[in-house]
Amino acid sequence: MEKHVGRDAAVVRFDDPWYDALASGWGELDGTGAPAPVAPPAADAVGSAHAHSAAEIYLEVQASAAFQEVRSRYRRFVVPATLAFFTWYFAYVVAATTAHDLMARPVFGAVNVAMLAGLGQFLTTFLLTWAYVRHARLRRDRAALDLRWNTQEMTRGAQS
């Protein structure tokens, strides 16, 4: 993505992958090639007498099985990973402050156990970040995107 400078810097570009013009309700074509008017969807024959408010829709989505599954997948990764990382971090801090002889033990040359453990903290941070991104991409992103699209479709005609 290119950096924009000047008075047009704040203008949203249509090729921005994070901006979803179709999901926002405008820019869709009506079949003739002309932009379709943005109007709330008509109530279907079985539909309710009143349109739901956005708050009601979001509460309904939050209670849905799809949303609960996305949240569950998130928690199943984040909670154990966080506990493991903090355990490793506090073990390093405790060992550095109480086990001076162990941490000062040379491994090779001027490199000792404390230096390797400190570098290991950085390494595990990067590994944990990679694992989180991979887990999100493989286990949650598609389901979350589908949920987002469905929610936007439901809120398109919602009352404010």
Side-chain angles (χ1 to χ4, degrees), residues 51-107:
H52 294 292
S53 70
E56 290 171 334
I57 290 170
Y58 283 110
L59 289 173
E60 179 182 328
V61 168
Q62 184 180 12
S64 72
F67 182 83
Q68 295 304 320
E69 180 62 23
V70 169
R71 295 297 297 164
S72 174
R73 289 177 183 180
Y74 172 78
R75 286 187 197 111
R76 281 192 303 246
F77 180 84
V78 169
V79 171
T82 302
L83 290 174
F85 183 78
F86 277 128
T87 300
W88 159 230
Y89 173 74
F90 286 122
Y92 170 70
V93 171
V94 169
T97 57
T98 61
H100 299 288
D101 293 338
L102 171 69
M103 299 302 266
R105 184 173 296 154
V107 177

Side-chain angles (χ1 to χ4, degrees), residues 12-24:
V12 176
R13 294 177 33 204
F14 293 111
D15 62 343
D16 183 356
W18 296 106
Y19 182 74
D20 211 342
L22 296 179
S24 67

